[in-house]
PDB file of all heavy atoms in Angstrom:
ATOM      1  N   PRO A1276      -1.870  -1.416 -10.974  1.00 95.00           N
ATOM      2  CA  PRO A1276      -0.779  -2.199 -10.383  1.00 95.00           C
ATOM      3  C   PRO A1276      -0.277  -1.620  -9.065  1.00 95.00           C
ATOM      4  O   PRO A1276       0.038  -2.377  -8.136  1.00 95.00           O
ATOM      5  CB  PRO A1276       0.306  -2.167 -11.466  1.00 95.00           C
ATOM      6  CG  PRO A1276      -0.449  -2.002 -12.739  1.00 95.00           C
ATOM      7  CD  PRO A1276      -1.592  -1.085 -12.391  1.00 95.00           C
ATOM      8  N   THR A1277      -0.189  -0.284  -8.970  1.00 95.00           N
ATOM      9  CA  THR A1277       0.241   0.338  -7.716  1.00 95.00           C
ATOM     10  C   THR A1277      -0.766   0.049  -6.607  1.00 95.00           C
ATOM     11  O   THR A1277      -0.393  -0.302  -5.482  1.00 95.00           O
ATOM     12  CB  THR A1277       0.397   1.861  -7.890  1.00 95.00           C
ATOM     13  OG1 THR A1277       1.393   2.122  -8.870  1.00 95.00           O
ATOM     14  CG2 THR A1277       0.792   2.525  -6.576  1.00 95.00           C
ATOM     15  N   LYS A1278      -2.046   0.184  -6.930  1.00 95.00           N
ATOM     16  CA  LYS A1278      -3.095  -0.119  -5.948  1.00 95.00           C
ATOM     17  C   LYS A1278      -3.007  -1.561  -5.478  1.00 95.00           C
ATOM     18  O   LYS A1278      -3.042  -1.843  -4.276  1.00 95.00           O
ATOM     19  CB  LYS A1278      -4.467   0.163  -6.556  1.00 95.00           C
ATOM     20  CG  LYS A1278      -5.625  -0.240  -5.651  1.00 95.00           C
ATOM     21  CD  LYS A1278      -6.971   0.050  -6.295  1.00 95.00           C
ATOM     22  CE  LYS A1278      -8.117  -0.459  -5.427  1.00 95.00           C
ATOM     23  NZ  LYS A1278      -9.450  -0.149  -6.008  1.00 95.00           N
ATOM     24  N   ALA A1279      -2.876  -2.482  -6.431  1.00 96.00           N
ATOM     25  CA  ALA A1279      -2.828  -3.903  -6.080  1.00 96.00           C
ATOM     26  C   ALA A1279      -1.626  -4.222  -5.207  1.00 96.00           C
ATOM     27  O   ALA A1279      -1.728  -4.994  -4.239  1.00 96.00           O
ATOM     28  CB  ALA A1279      -2.795  -4.743  -7.351  1.00 96.00           C
ATOM     29  N   ALA A1280      -0.469  -3.617  -5.518  1.00 95.00           N
ATOM     30  CA  ALA A1280       0.748  -3.883  -4.748  1.00 95.00           C
ATOM     31  C   ALA A1280       0.622  -3.368  -3.324  1.00 95.00           C
ATOM     32  O   ALA A1280       1.049  -4.032  -2.363  1.00 95.00           O
ATOM     33  CB  ALA A1280       1.949  -3.249  -5.445  1.00 95.00           C
ATOM     34  N   LEU A1281       0.034  -2.175  -3.160  1.00 95.00           N
ATOM     35  CA  LEU A1281      -0.134  -1.607  -1.815  1.00 95.00           C
ATOM     36  C   LEU A1281      -1.118  -2.434  -0.990  1.00 95.00           C
ATOM     37  O   LEU A1281      -0.889  -2.694   0.204  1.00 95.00           O
ATOM     38  CB  LEU A1281      -0.601  -0.159  -1.914  1.00 95.00           C
ATOM     39  CG  LEU A1281       0.418   0.838  -2.474  1.00 95.00           C
ATOM     40  CD1 LEU A1281      -0.213   2.221  -2.615  1.00 95.00           C
ATOM     41  CD2 LEU A1281       1.655   0.919  -1.582  1.00 95.00           C
ATOM     42  N   LEU A1282      -2.205  -2.850  -1.601  1.00 96.00           N
ATOM     43  CA  LEU A1282      -3.179  -3.663  -0.875  1.00 96.00           C
ATOM     44  C   LEU A1282      -2.586  -5.015  -0.475  1.00 96.00           C
ATOM     45  O   LEU A1282      -2.829  -5.509   0.630  1.00 96.00           O
ATOM     46  CB  LEU A1282      -4.429  -3.868  -1.722  1.00 96.00           C
ATOM     47  CG  LEU A1282      -5.307  -2.630  -1.932  1.00 96.00           C
ATOM     48  CD1 LEU A1282      -6.417  -2.930  -2.924  1.00 96.00           C
ATOM     49  CD2 LEU A1282      -5.887  -2.136  -0.613  1.00 96.00           C
ATOM     50  N   GLU A1283      -1.802  -5.594  -1.360  1.00 96.00           N
ATOM     51  CA  GLU A1283      -1.161  -6.865  -1.044  1.00 96.00           C
ATOM     52  C   GLU A1283      -0.215  -6.720   0.133  1.00 96.00           C
ATOM     53  O   GLU A1283      -0.157  -7.575   1.027  1.00 96.00           O
ATOM     54  CB  GLU A1283      -0.415  -7.388  -2.265  1.00 96.00           C
ATOM     55  CG  GLU A1283       0.343  -8.690  -2.024  1.00 96.00           C
ATOM     56  CD  GLU A1283      -0.555  -9.857  -1.650  1.00 96.00           C
ATOM     57  OE1 GLU A1283      -1.778  -9.795  -1.924  1.00 96.00           O
ATOM     58  OE2 GLU A1283      -0.047 -10.846  -1.093  1.00 96.00           O
ATOM     59  N   ARG A1284       0.537  -5.621   0.145  1.00 95.00           N
ATOM     60  CA  ARG A1284       1.472  -5.385   1.253  1.00 95.00           C
ATOM     61  C   ARG A1284       0.713  -5.218   2.575  1.00 95.00           C
ATOM     62  O   ARG A1284       1.106  -5.774   3.611  1.00 95.00           O
ATOM     63  CB  ARG A1284       2.308  -4.129   0.969  1.00 95.00           C
ATOM     64  CG  ARG A1284       3.331  -3.808   2.030  1.00 95.00           C
ATOM     65  CD  ARG A1284       4.347  -4.910   2.156  1.00 95.00           C
ATOM     66  NE  ARG A1284       5.297  -4.627   3.238  1.00 95.00           N
ATOM     67  CZ  ARG A1284       6.032  -5.547   3.823  1.00 95.00           C
ATOM     68  NH1 ARG A1284       5.944  -6.819   3.442  1.00 95.00           N
ATOM     69  NH2 ARG A1284       6.870  -5.220   4.765  1.00 95.00           N
ATOM     70  N   LEU A1285      -0.376  -4.483   2.553  1.00 94.00           N
ATOM     71  CA  LEU A1285      -1.188  -4.296   3.752  1.00 94.00           C
ATOM     72  C   LEU A1285      -1.746  -5.624   4.252  1.00 94.00           C
ATOM     73  O   LEU A1285      -1.781  -5.888   5.455  1.00 94.00           O
ATOM     74  CB  LEU A1285      -2.330  -3.321   3.467  1.00 94.00           C
ATOM     75  CG  LEU A1285      -1.958  -1.849   3.416  1.00 94.00           C
ATOM     76  CD1 LEU A1285      -3.057  -1.045   2.758  1.00 94.00           C
ATOM     77  CD2 LEU A1285      -1.687  -1.330   4.819  1.00 94.00           C
ATOM     78  N   ARG A1286      -2.195  -6.468   3.328  1.00 95.00           N
ATOM     79  CA  ARG A1286      -2.771  -7.750   3.728  1.00 95.00           C
ATOM     80  C   ARG A1286      -1.717  -8.676   4.317  1.00 95.00           C
ATOM     81  O   ARG A1286      -2.017  -9.468   5.211  1.00 95.00           O
ATOM     82  CB  ARG A1286      -3.461  -8.383   2.513  1.00 95.00           C
ATOM     83  CG  ARG A1286      -4.742  -7.652   2.128  1.00 95.00           C
ATOM     84  CD  ARG A1286      -5.228  -7.984   0.739  1.00 95.00           C
ATOM     85  NE  ARG A1286      -6.442  -7.225   0.432  1.00 95.00           N
ATOM     86  CZ  ARG A1286      -6.827  -6.901  -0.801  1.00 95.00           C
ATOM     87  NH1 ARG A1286      -6.102  -7.281  -1.837  1.00 95.00           N
ATOM     88  NH2 ARG A1286      -7.929  -6.206  -0.985  1.00 95.00           N
ATOM     89  N   ILE A1287      -0.482  -8.568   3.830  1.00 95.00           N
ATOM     90  CA  ILE A1287       0.603  -9.371   4.395  1.00 95.00           C
ATOM     91  C   ILE A1287       0.894  -8.945   5.835  1.00 95.00           C
ATOM     92  O   ILE A1287       1.071  -9.780   6.729  1.00 95.00           O
ATOM     93  CB  ILE A1287       1.874  -9.239   3.530  1.00 95.00           C
ATOM     94  CG1 ILE A1287       1.693  -9.961   2.199  1.00 95.00           C
ATOM     95  CG2 ILE A1287       3.095  -9.788   4.266  1.00 95.00           C
ATOM     96  CD1 ILE A1287       2.800  -9.716   1.206  1.00 95.00           C
ATOM     97  N   VAL A1288       0.922  -7.632   6.072  1.00 92.00           N
ATOM     98  CA  VAL A1288       1.280  -7.105   7.396  1.00 92.00           C
ATOM     99  C   VAL A1288       0.135  -7.269   8.397  1.00 92.00           C
ATOM    100  O   VAL A1288       0.349  -7.684   9.540  1.00 92.00           O
ATOM    101  CB  VAL A1288       1.701  -5.623   7.292  1.00 92.00           C
ATOM    102  CG1 VAL A1288       1.872  -5.013   8.692  1.00 92.00           C
ATOM    103  CG2 VAL A1288       3.003  -5.500   6.510  1.00 92.00           C
ATOM    104  N   TYR A1289      -1.105  -6.959   7.980  1.00 90.00           N
ATOM    105  CA  TYR A1289      -2.220  -6.908   8.926  1.00 90.00           C
ATOM    106  C   TYR A1289      -3.189  -8.088   8.824  1.00 90.00           C
ATOM    107  O   TYR A1289      -4.013  -8.285   9.718  1.00 90.00           O
ATOM    108  CB  TYR A1289      -3.011  -5.608   8.736  1.00 90.00           C
ATOM    109  CG  TYR A1289      -2.296  -4.388   9.257  1.00 90.00           C
ATOM    110  CD1 TYR A1289      -1.630  -3.528   8.395  1.00 90.00           C
ATOM    111  CD2 TYR A1289      -2.263  -4.095  10.614  1.00 90.00           C
ATOM    112  CE1 TYR A1289      -0.965  -2.421   8.864  1.00 90.00           C
ATOM    113  CE2 TYR A1289      -1.606  -2.986  11.098  1.00 90.00           C
ATOM    114  CZ  TYR A1289      -0.949  -2.150  10.217  1.00 90.00           C
ATOM    115  OH  TYR A1289      -0.287  -1.052  10.694  1.00 90.00           O
ATOM    116  N   GLY A1290      -3.108  -8.829   7.738  1.00 91.00           N
ATOM    117  CA  GLY A1290      -4.087  -9.879   7.507  1.00 91.00           C
ATOM    118  C   GLY A1290      -5.184  -9.377   6.587  1.00 91.00           C
ATOM    119  O   GLY A1290      -5.684  -8.257   6.754  1.00 91.00           O
ATOM    120  N   ALA A1291      -5.569 -10.200   5.617  1.00 93.00           N
ATOM    121  CA  ALA A1291      -6.525  -9.766   4.598  1.00 93.00           C
ATOM    122  C   ALA A1291      -7.859  -9.331   5.190  1.00 93.00           C
ATOM    123  O   ALA A1291      -8.495  -8.395   4.706  1.00 93.00           O
ATOM    124  CB  ALA A1291      -6.738 -10.895   3.584  1.00 93.00           C
ATOM    125  N   ALA A1292      -8.293  -9.992   6.256  1.00 91.00           N
ATOM    126  CA  ALA A1292      -9.620  -9.707   6.809  1.00 91.00           C
ATOM    127  C   ALA A1292      -9.725  -8.310   7.403  1.00 91.00           C
ATOM    128  O   ALA A1292     -10.823  -7.755   7.501  1.00 91.00           O
ATOM    129  CB  ALA A1292      -9.969 -10.745   7.874  1.00 91.00           C
ATOM    130  N   ARG A1293      -8.592  -7.715   7.788  1.00 89.00           N
ATOM    131  CA  ARG A1293      -8.638  -6.403   8.453  1.00 89.00           C
ATOM    132  C   ARG A1293      -8.561  -5.226   7.478  1.00 89.00           C
ATOM    133  O   ARG A1293      -8.858  -4.097   7.865  1.00 89.00           O
ATOM    134  CB  ARG A1293      -7.494  -6.281   9.462  1.00 89.00           C
ATOM    135  CG  ARG A1293      -7.605  -7.198  10.646  1.00 89.00           C
ATOM    136  CD  ARG A1293      -6.499  -6.916  11.649  1.00 89.00           C
ATOM    137  NE  ARG A1293      -6.587  -5.578  12.214  1.00 89.00           N
ATOM    138  CZ  ARG A1293      -5.642  -5.001  12.944  1.00 89.00           C
ATOM    139  NH1 ARG A1293      -4.519  -5.639  13.159  1.00 89.00           N
ATOM    140  NH2 ARG A1293      -5.812  -3.798  13.434  1.00 89.00           N
ATOM    141  N   VAL A1294      -8.148  -5.471   6.248  1.00 92.00           N
ATOM    142  CA  VAL A1294      -7.898  -4.375   5.312  1.00 92.00           C
ATOM    143  C   VAL A1294      -9.183  -3.988   4.585  1.00 92.00           C
ATOM    144  O   VAL A1294      -9.820  -4.820   3.937  1.00 92.00           O
ATOM    145  CB  VAL A1294      -6.807  -4.758   4.292  1.00 92.00           C
ATOM    146  CG1 VAL A1294      -6.601  -3.621   3.281  1.00 92.00           C
ATOM    147  CG2 VAL A1294      -5.498  -5.072   5.007  1.00 92.00           C
ATOM    148  N   VAL A1295      -9.569  -2.713   4.718  1.00 92.00           N
ATOM    149  CA  VAL A1295     -10.750  -2.183   4.040  1.00 92.00           C
ATOM    150  C   VAL A1295     -10.269  -1.274   2.910  1.00 92.00           C
ATOM    151  O   VAL A1295      -9.638  -0.242   3.160  1.00 92.00           O
ATOM    152  CB  VAL A1295     -11.652  -1.402   5.007  1.00 92.00           C
ATOM    153  CG1 VAL A1295     -12.830  -0.787   4.264  1.00 92.00           C
ATOM    154  CG2 VAL A1295     -12.146  -2.316   6.119  1.00 92.00           C
ATOM    155  N   ASP A1296     -10.550  -1.654   1.691  1.00 93.00           N
ATOM    156  CA  ASP A1296     -10.046  -0.951   0.508  1.00 93.00           C
ATOM    157  C   ASP A1296     -10.979   0.189   0.106  1.00 93.00           C
ATOM    158  O   ASP A1296     -12.099  -0.046  -0.345  1.00 93.00           O
ATOM    159  CB  ASP A1296      -9.895  -1.947  -0.643  1.00 93.00           C
ATOM    160  CG  ASP A1296      -9.554  -1.267  -1.970  1.00 93.00           C
ATOM    161  OD1 ASP A1296      -9.061  -0.111  -1.950  1.00 93.00           O
ATOM    162  OD2 ASP A1296      -9.776  -1.898  -3.020  1.00 93.00           O
ATOM    163  N   GLN A1297     -10.500   1.429   0.285  1.00 92.00           N
ATOM    164  CA  GLN A1297     -11.214   2.591  -0.226  1.00 92.00           C
ATOM    165  C   GLN A1297     -10.317   3.391  -1.165  1.00 92.00           C
ATOM    166  O   GLN A1297     -10.511   4.582  -1.384  1.00 92.00           O
ATOM    167  CB  GLN A1297     -11.697   3.465   0.943  1.00 92.00           C
ATOM    168  CG  GLN A1297     -12.729   2.780   1.819  1.00 92.00           C
ATOM    169  CD  GLN A1297     -13.243   3.651   2.956  1.00 92.00           C
ATOM    170  OE1 GLN A1297     -12.825   4.804   3.117  1.00 92.00           O
ATOM    171  NE2 GLN A1297     -14.141   3.111   3.755  1.00 92.00           N
ATOM    172  N   LEU A1298      -9.296   2.734  -1.718  1.00 93.00           N
ATOM    173  CA  LEU A1298      -8.379   3.379  -2.658  1.00 93.00           C
ATOM    174  C   LEU A1298      -9.056   3.560  -4.016  1.00 93.00           C
ATOM    175  O   LEU A1298      -9.825   2.711  -4.452  1.00 93.00           O
ATOM    176  CB  LEU A1298      -7.118   2.540  -2.844  1.00 93.00           C
ATOM    177  CG  LEU A1298      -5.956   2.744  -1.884  1.00 93.00           C
ATOM    178  CD1 LEU A1298      -4.843   1.756  -2.223  1.00 93.00           C
ATOM    179  CD2 LEU A1298      -5.424   4.176  -1.930  1.00 93.00           C
ATOM    180  N   SER A1299      -8.715   4.651  -4.685  1.00 94.00           N
ATOM    181  CA  SER A1299      -9.184   4.868  -6.048  1.00 94.00           C
ATOM    182  C   SER A1299      -7.992   5.102  -6.965  1.00 94.00           C
ATOM    183  O   SER A1299      -6.889   5.412  -6.506  1.00 94.00           O
ATOM    184  CB  SER A1299     -10.142   6.055  -6.109  1.00 94.00           C
ATOM    185  OG  SER A1299      -9.488   7.245  -5.679  1.00 94.00           O
ATOM    186  N   VAL A1300      -8.208   4.922  -8.254  1.00 94.00           N
ATOM    187  CA  VAL A1300      -7.182   5.163  -9.262  1.00 94.00           C
ATOM    188  C   VAL A1300      -7.581   6.396 -10.055  1.00 94.00           C
ATOM    189  O   VAL A1300      -8.738   6.532 -10.480  1.00 94.00           O
ATOM    190  CB  VAL A1300      -7.033   3.950 -10.205  1.00 94.00           C
ATOM    191  CG1 VAL A1300      -6.048   4.250 -11.332  1.00 94.00           C
ATOM    192  CG2 VAL A1300      -6.590   2.725  -9.418  1.00 94.00           C
ATOM    193  N   GLY A1301      -6.631   7.327 -10.233  1.00 93.00           N
ATOM    194  CA  GLY A1301      -6.942   8.565 -10.940  1.00 93.00           C
ATOM    195  C   GLY A1301      -5.711   9.196 -11.540  1.00 93.00           C
ATOM    196  O   GLY A1301      -4.600   8.652 -11.457  1.00 93.00           O
ATOM    197  N   THR A1302      -5.917  10.355 -12.115  1.00 91.00           N
ATOM    198  CA  THR A1302      -4.819  11.098 -12.721  1.00 91.00           C
ATOM    199  C   THR A1302      -4.127  11.918 -11.639  1.00 91.00           C
ATOM    200  O   THR A1302      -4.673  12.919 -11.153  1.00 91.00           O
ATOM    201  CB  THR A1302      -5.338  12.022 -13.832  1.00 91.00           C
ATOM    202  OG1 THR A1302      -6.052  11.238 -14.786  1.00 91.00           O
ATOM    203  CG2 THR A1302      -4.187  12.741 -14.517  1.00 91.00           C
ATOM    204  N   VAL A1303      -2.974  11.454 -11.219  1.00 90.00           N
ATOM    205  CA  VAL A1303      -2.235  12.113 -10.141  1.00 90.00           C
ATOM    206  C   VAL A1303      -0.763  12.196 -10.524  1.00 90.00           C
ATOM    207  O   VAL A1303      -0.267  11.425 -11.351  1.00 90.00           O
ATOM    208  CB  VAL A1303      -2.371  11.346  -8.804  1.00 90.00           C
ATOM    209  CG1 VAL A1303      -3.771  11.460  -8.247  1.00 90.00           C
ATOM    210  CG2 VAL A1303      -1.985   9.883  -8.990  1.00 90.00           C
ATOM    211  N   ALA A1304      -0.069  13.156  -9.934  1.00 89.00           N
ATOM    212  CA  ALA A1304       1.376  13.281 -10.129  1.00 89.00           C
ATOM    213  C   ALA A1304       2.072  12.294  -9.206  1.00 89.00           C
ATOM    214  O   ALA A1304       1.776  12.238  -8.011  1.00 89.00           O
ATOM    215  CB  ALA A1304       1.831  14.707  -9.817  1.00 89.00           C
ATOM    216  N   THR A1305       2.989  11.509  -9.733  1.00 87.00           N
ATOM    217  CA  THR A1305       3.637  10.460  -8.963  1.00 87.00           C
ATOM    218  C   THR A1305       5.141  10.674  -8.891  1.00 87.00           C
ATOM    219  O   THR A1305       5.815  10.643  -9.932  1.00 87.00           O
ATOM    220  CB  THR A1305       3.369   9.081  -9.589  1.00 87.00           C
ATOM    221  OG1 THR A1305       1.965   8.901  -9.761  1.00 87.00           O
ATOM    222  CG2 THR A1305       3.926   7.975  -8.726  1.00 87.00           C
ATOM    223  N   PRO A1306       5.703  10.897  -7.695  1.00 90.00           N
ATOM    224  CA  PRO A1306       7.167  10.947  -7.580  1.00 90.00           C
ATOM    225  C   PRO A1306       7.780   9.633  -8.050  1.00 90.00           C
ATOM    226  O   PRO A1306       7.128   8.586  -8.017  1.00 90.00           O
ATOM    227  CB  PRO A1306       7.389  11.158  -6.072  1.00 90.00           C
ATOM    228  CG  PRO A1306       6.111  11.736  -5.577  1.00 90.00           C
ATOM    229  CD  PRO A1306       5.031  11.117  -6.424  1.00 90.00           C
ATOM    230  N   ALA A1307       9.018   9.682  -8.448  1.00 92.00           N
ATOM    231  CA  ALA A1307       9.681   8.475  -8.957  1.00 92.00           C
ATOM    232  C   ALA A1307       9.624   7.347  -7.935  1.00 92.00           C
ATOM    233  O   ALA A1307       9.921   7.546  -6.753  1.00 92.00           O
ATOM    234  CB  ALA A1307      11.133   8.806  -9.302  1.00 92.00           C
ATOM    235  N   ALA A1308       9.228   6.163  -8.400  1.00 93.00           N
ATOM    236  CA  ALA A1308       9.160   4.945  -7.569  1.00 93.00           C
ATOM    237  C   ALA A1308       8.290   5.146  -6.325  1.00 93.00           C
ATOM    238  O   ALA A1308       8.534   4.515  -5.287  1.00 93.00           O
ATOM    239  CB  ALA A1308      10.559   4.492  -7.173  1.00 93.00           C
ATOM    240  N   TRP A1309       7.273   5.965  -6.428  1.00 94.00           N
ATOM    241  CA  TRP A1309       6.425   6.300  -5.269  1.00 94.00           C
ATOM    242  C   TRP A1309       5.807   5.049  -4.643  1.00 94.00           C
ATOM    243  O   TRP A1309       5.843   4.862  -3.437  1.00 94.00           O
ATOM    244  CB  TRP A1309       5.327   7.270  -5.699  1.00 94.00           C
ATOM    245  CG  TRP A1309       4.461   7.771  -4.580  1.00 94.00           C
ATOM    246  CD1 TRP A1309       4.715   8.815  -3.746  1.00 94.00           C
ATOM    247  CD2 TRP A1309       3.179   7.255  -4.186  1.00 94.00           C
ATOM    248  NE1 TRP A1309       3.680   8.980  -2.858  1.00 94.00           N
ATOM    249  CE2 TRP A1309       2.723   8.032  -3.106  1.00 94.00           C
ATOM    250  CE3 TRP A1309       2.379   6.208  -4.643  1.00 94.00           C
ATOM    251  CZ2 TRP A1309       1.506   7.811  -2.478  1.00 94.00           C
ATOM    252  CZ3 TRP A1309       1.166   5.980  -4.020  1.00 94.00           C
ATOM    253  CH2 TRP A1309       0.740   6.770  -2.945  1.00 94.00           C
ATOM    254  N   GLY A1310       5.237   4.191  -5.463  1.00 93.00           N
ATOM    255  CA  GLY A1310       4.593   3.000  -4.933  1.00 93.00           C
ATOM    256  C   GLY A1310       5.538   2.099  -4.180  1.00 93.00           C
ATOM    257  O   GLY A1310       5.185   1.519  -3.143  1.00 93.00           O
ATOM    258  N   GLU A1311       6.781   1.992  -4.681  1.00 94.00           N
ATOM    259  CA  GLU A1311       7.771   1.155  -4.005  1.00 94.00           C
ATOM    260  C   GLU A1311       8.137   1.719  -2.643  1.00 94.00           C
ATOM    261  O   GLU A1311       8.276   0.974  -1.666  1.00 94.00           O
ATOM    262  CB  GLU A1311       9.019   1.029  -4.878  1.00 94.00           C
ATOM    263  CG  GLU A1311       8.787   0.304  -6.188  1.00 94.00           C
ATOM    264  CD  GLU A1311      10.024   0.297  -7.059  1.00 94.00           C
ATOM    265  OE1 GLU A1311      11.130   0.521  -6.515  1.00 94.00           O
ATOM    266  OE2 GLU A1311       9.898   0.066  -8.278  1.00 94.00           O
ATOM    267  N   TYR A1312       8.316   3.039  -2.589  1.00 94.00           N
ATOM    268  CA  TYR A1312       8.659   3.662  -1.303  1.00 94.00           C
ATOM    269  C   TYR A1312       7.525   3.491  -0.286  1.00 94.00           C
ATOM    270  O   TYR A1312       7.766   3.181   0.889  1.00 94.00           O
ATOM    271  CB  TYR A1312       8.970   5.146  -1.498  1.00 94.00           C
ATOM    272  CG  TYR A1312      10.357   5.417  -2.023  1.00 94.00           C
ATOM    273  CD1 TYR A1312      10.544   6.033  -3.250  1.00 94.00           C
ATOM    274  CD2 TYR A1312      11.487   5.056  -1.291  1.00 94.00           C
ATOM    275  CE1 TYR A1312      11.823   6.286  -3.749  1.00 94.00           C
ATOM    276  CE2 TYR A1312      12.767   5.305  -1.774  1.00 94.00           C
ATOM    277  CZ  TYR A1312      12.924   5.915  -2.997  1.00 94.00           C
ATOM    278  OH  TYR A1312      14.189   6.157  -3.478  1.00 94.00           O
ATOM    279  N   VAL A1313       6.290   3.702  -0.746  1.00 93.00           N
ATOM    280  CA  VAL A1313       5.152   3.584   0.174  1.00 93.00           C
ATOM    281  C   VAL A1313       5.014   2.143   0.674  1.00 93.00           C
ATOM    282  O   VAL A1313       4.750   1.911   1.855  1.00 93.00           O
ATOM    283  CB  VAL A1313       3.858   4.065  -0.497  1.00 93.00           C
ATOM    284  CG1 VAL A1313       2.654   3.804   0.416  1.00 93.00           C
ATOM    285  CG2 VAL A1313       3.938   5.551  -0.825  1.00 93.00           C
ATOM    286  N   ALA A1314       5.211   1.185  -0.212  1.00 93.00           N
ATOM    287  CA  ALA A1314       5.118  -0.218   0.203  1.00 93.00           C
ATOM    288  C   ALA A1314       6.129  -0.542   1.292  1.00 93.00           C
ATOM    289  O   ALA A1314       5.838  -1.300   2.228  1.00 93.00           O
ATOM    290  CB  ALA A1314       5.322  -1.129  -1.008  1.00 93.00           C
ATOM    291  N   LYS A1315       7.321   0.051   1.194  1.00 92.00           N
ATOM    292  CA  LYS A1315       8.342  -0.180   2.220  1.00 92.00           C
ATOM    293  C   LYS A1315       7.938   0.426   3.565  1.00 92.00           C
ATOM    294  O   LYS A1315       8.352  -0.058   4.627  1.00 92.00           O
ATOM    295  CB  LYS A1315       9.679   0.402   1.769  1.00 92.00           C
ATOM    296  CG  LYS A1315      10.320  -0.353   0.607  1.00 92.00           C
ATOM    297  CD  LYS A1315      11.621   0.311   0.183  1.00 92.00           C
ATOM    298  CE  LYS A1315      12.244  -0.406  -1.010  1.00 92.00           C
ATOM    299  NZ  LYS A1315      13.491   0.265  -1.458  1.00 92.00           N
ATOM    300  N   LEU A1316       7.143   1.502   3.525  1.00 92.00           N
ATOM    301  CA  LEU A1316       6.684   2.120   4.780  1.00 92.00           C
ATOM    302  C   LEU A1316       5.727   1.198   5.541  1.00 92.00           C
ATOM    303  O   LEU A1316       5.622   1.270   6.767  1.00 92.00           O
ATOM    304  CB  LEU A1316       5.959   3.439   4.498  1.00 92.00           C
ATOM    305  CG  LEU A1316       6.803   4.613   4.013  1.00 92.00           C
ATOM    306  CD1 LEU A1316       5.897   5.799   3.678  1.00 92.00           C
ATOM    307  CD2 LEU A1316       7.834   5.014   5.063  1.00 92.00           C
ATOM    308  N   ILE A1317       5.024   0.354   4.800  1.00 93.00           N
ATOM    309  CA  ILE A1317       4.035  -0.534   5.427  1.00 93.00           C
ATOM    310  C   ILE A1317       4.766  -1.781   5.915  1.00 93.00           C
ATOM    311  O   ILE A1317       4.890  -2.783   5.214  1.00 93.00           O
ATOM    312  CB  ILE A1317       2.920  -0.891   4.429  1.00 93.00           C
ATOM    313  CG1 ILE A1317       2.252   0.376   3.903  1.00 93.00           C
ATOM    314  CG2 ILE A1317       1.882  -1.793   5.107  1.00 93.00           C
ATOM    315  CD1 ILE A1317       1.359   0.139   2.706  1.00 93.00           C
ATOM    316  N   ASN A1318       5.298  -1.702   7.117  1.00 90.00           N
ATOM    317  CA  ASN A1318       6.078  -2.800   7.679  1.00 90.00           C
ATOM    318  C   ASN A1318       5.523  -3.179   9.052  1.00 90.00           C
ATOM    319  O   ASN A1318       4.710  -2.445   9.632  1.00 90.00           O
ATOM    320  CB  ASN A1318       7.557  -2.415   7.762  1.00 90.00           C
ATOM    321  CG  ASN A1318       7.798  -1.266   8.705  1.00 90.00           C
ATOM    322  OD1 ASN A1318       7.683  -1.414   9.916  1.00 90.00           O
ATOM    323  ND2 ASN A1318       8.143  -0.092   8.166  1.00 90.00           N
ATOM    324  N   PRO A1319       5.929  -4.323   9.587  1.00 90.00           N
ATOM    325  CA  PRO A1319       5.355  -4.794  10.866  1.00 90.00           C
ATOM    326  C   PRO A1319       5.512  -3.835  12.033  1.00 90.00           C
ATOM    327  O   PRO A1319       4.738  -3.900  12.988  1.00 90.00           O
ATOM    328  CB  PRO A1319       6.114  -6.108  11.109  1.00 90.00           C
ATOM    329  CG  PRO A1319       6.456  -6.595   9.748  1.00 90.00           C
ATOM    330  CD  PRO A1319       6.779  -5.360   8.954  1.00 90.00           C
ATOM    331  N   ASN A1320       6.489  -2.918  11.977  1.00 89.00           N
ATOM    332  CA  ASN A1320       6.640  -1.963  13.073  1.00 89.00           C
ATOM    333  C   ASN A1320       5.412  -1.080  13.248  1.00 89.00           C
ATOM    334  O   ASN A1320       5.147  -0.574  14.345  1.00 89.00           O
ATOM    335  CB  ASN A1320       7.870  -1.071  12.842  1.00 89.00           C
ATOM    336  CG  ASN A1320       9.121  -1.660  13.461  1.00 89.00           C
ATOM    337  OD1 ASN A1320       9.060  -2.651  14.185  1.00 89.00           O
ATOM    338  ND2 ASN A1320      10.265  -1.064  13.180  1.00 89.00           N
ATOM    339  N   LEU A1321       4.648  -0.879  12.169  1.00 89.00           N
ATOM    340  CA  LEU A1321       3.442  -0.058  12.285  1.00 89.00           C
ATOM    341  C   LEU A1321       2.430  -0.687  13.239  1.00 89.00           C
ATOM    342  O   LEU A1321       1.577   0.001  13.787  1.00 89.00           O
ATOM    343  CB  LEU A1321       2.797   0.147  10.913  1.00 89.00           C
ATOM    344  CG  LEU A1321       3.527   1.069   9.936  1.00 89.00           C
ATOM    345  CD1 LEU A1321       2.720   1.211   8.651  1.00 89.00           C
ATOM    346  CD2 LEU A1321       3.793   2.431  10.550  1.00 89.00           C
TER     347      LEU A1321
END
């Protein structure tokens, strides 16, 4: 779900055709609400 949400946010900002997905899912330590914070970083100002 975190991967899907981040990719969706990127496609909204940049357009689906430009986004190349090389993300993987694994056992990692996650700060609280990490995915939400990262999604907010991906904004049109980038």
Side-chain angles (χ1 to χ4, degrees):
T1277 299
K1278 175 180 175 178
L1281 291 176
L1282 290 173
E1283 178 62 20
R1284 181 62 183 160
L1285 283 164
R1286 289 164 181 154
I1287 289 171
V1288 172
Y1289 287 101
R1293 293 185 63 191
V1294 178
V1295 176
D1296 172 20
Q1297 295 182 0
L1298 273 177
S1299 61
V1300 175
T1302 304
V1303 290
T1305 307
W1309 185 84
E1311 295 176 19
Y1312 280 118
V1313 174
K1315 291 178 182 178
L1316 290 175
I1317 303 167
N1318 64 71
N1320 269 352
L1321 288 183

